Amino acid sequence: MTDSVDPVAYNRAAWDREVESGNEWTRPVGPEVIAGARAGDWSVVLIGYQAVPRAWWPDDLAGMEVLCLASGGGQQGPVLAAAGAAVTVFDNSPRQLERDREVATREGLEVRTVLGDMRDLGVFPDACFDVVFHPVSNVFCPDLLPVWREAFRVLRTGGILMAGFMNPDVFIFDIPALEESDELVVRHPLPFSSLDLPDDERRRSYGDGPIEYSHTLTEQIGGQLAAGFTLTHFVEAPHHVGATARYMSGYFATRAIKP
């Protein structure tokens, strides 16, 4: 399957299916969340259920151009728009982008939505955003350096990149053992791709969900530095579900600036 699959097309269809099945990251925020954001009481997540520290954000979002990168689903983008930012949501799934438009229509918000691959932001000119907000989604992307280079290009000088990503070590464990008996059984060498599993095992572990890829910290953090970013903050958190949460961090998040 590895050689015959276009990961962008496959994951586009897979995330559209996730919307249909009600995946928690496809459920739009409610009116009360938008009302709170309009009143100045807001938060969004990069990793799991952990709110991004407010100190990572500009003091005032009013007029800030924010790109929510691979961040569809009607969650972060509408909240940031209600808080005053000029928001563009860029995502690979048409149905995820529909979620953002649903909230925007319901709440009278201005949210621009753009369909595409996170590695190619050619639709945007250089230096057009103040913030790139990139929650845990590059786990669905086979290579990361183009993501960091494009994020750097579209940010203005002094602009902020916030990125959440998976701890690659969580991919070493056998998925059925984790999900069916809550056991940590070391099985997979890294780097890992769900494409590398036999078809029957992939269906058992992932169903018809998106392809996932592990990425080293060299690719995640070193890639941001190689693209030109300066790292300012780093946090970690356990995975929001599963046995690994008892023993290790499942998520990392970084804040970086374009000098």
Side-chain angles (χ1 to χ4, degrees):
M1 181 176 176
T2 303
D3 295 333
S4 63
V5 171
D6 174 353
V8 175
Y10 187 96
N11 281 353
R12 177 170 294 172
W15 270 105
D16 283 353
R17 289 191 294 268
E18 293 296 309
V19 174
E20 294 297 327
S21 65
N23 180 301
E24 66 177 311
W25 305 116
T26 73
R27 300 172 195 158
V29 296
E32 71 286 353
V33 174
I34 299 301
R38 283 184 161 131
D41 180 16
W42 61 272
S43 65
V44 289
V45 298
L46 271 174
I47 50 176
Y49 302 139
Q50 183 170 299
V52 179
R54 286 295 287 272
W56 286 26
W57 293 94
D59 291 337
D60 186 358
L61 286 186
M64 291 283 105
E65 294 279 352
V66 176
L67 173 63
C68 292
L69 178 59
S71 179
Q75 298 181 358
Q76 297 97 355
V79 170
L80 297 172
V87 173
T88 299
V89 180
F90 186 95
D91 199 272
N92 186 39
S93 162
R95 292 301 313 279
Q96 281 284 73
L97 293 175
E98 282 180 17
R99 294 304 203 195
D100 291 279
R101 292 192 292 271
E102 287 171 15
V103 180
T105 299
R106 187 189 74 207
E107 303 292 341
L109 297 168
E110 292 289 335
V111 176
R112 180 188 180 193
T113 60
V114 180
L115 180 70
D117 176 359
M118 69 182 84
R119 296 171 295 179
D120 181 4
L121 303 181
V123 67
F124 306 121
D126 295 352
C128 60
F129 292 105
D130 300 294
V131 177
V132 172
F133 185 82
H134 182 46
V136 179
S137 53
N138 65 35
V139 66
F140 308 113
C141 183
D143 54 320
L144 299 189
L145 191 54
V147 178
W148 306 133
R149 286 173 173 164
E150 283 288 83
F152 189 87
R153 180 185 65 79
V154 301
L155 277 170
R156 299 182 174 112
T157 299
I160 301 166
L161 167 67
M162 300 183 215
F165 46 91
M166 295 288 294
N167 179 348
D169 291 348
V170 302
F171 289 99
I172 69 175
F173 299 111
D174 180 75
I175 296 169
L178 274 174
E179 295 183 346
E180 297 168 15
S181 57
D182 218 26
E183 292 182 283
L184 300 180
V185 177
V186 174
R187 180 179 173 201
H188 301 295
L190 300 179
F192 171 85
S193 166
S194 57
L195 280 177
D196 295 333
L197 297 173
D199 287 349
D200 58 344
E201 183 177 348
R202 188 179 62 257
R203 285 192 294 269
R204 178 184 175 193
S205 299
Y206 289 88
D208 61 357
I211 302 163
E212 295 188 18
Y213 304 86
S214 74
H215 295 292
T216 65
L217 298 185
T218 298
E219 293 174 280
Q220 296 282 13
I221 298 174
Q224 292 181 46
L225 298 175
F229 285 103
T230 298
L231 195 70
T232 64
H233 296 77
F234 177 89
V235 297
E236 54 192 298
H239 198 273
H240 64 289
V241 294
T244 62
R246 299 198 301 270
Y247 303 99
M248 61 191 295
S249 296
Y251 295 118
F252 301 133
T254 54
R255 180 186 185 274
I257 60 171
K258 178 177 178 176

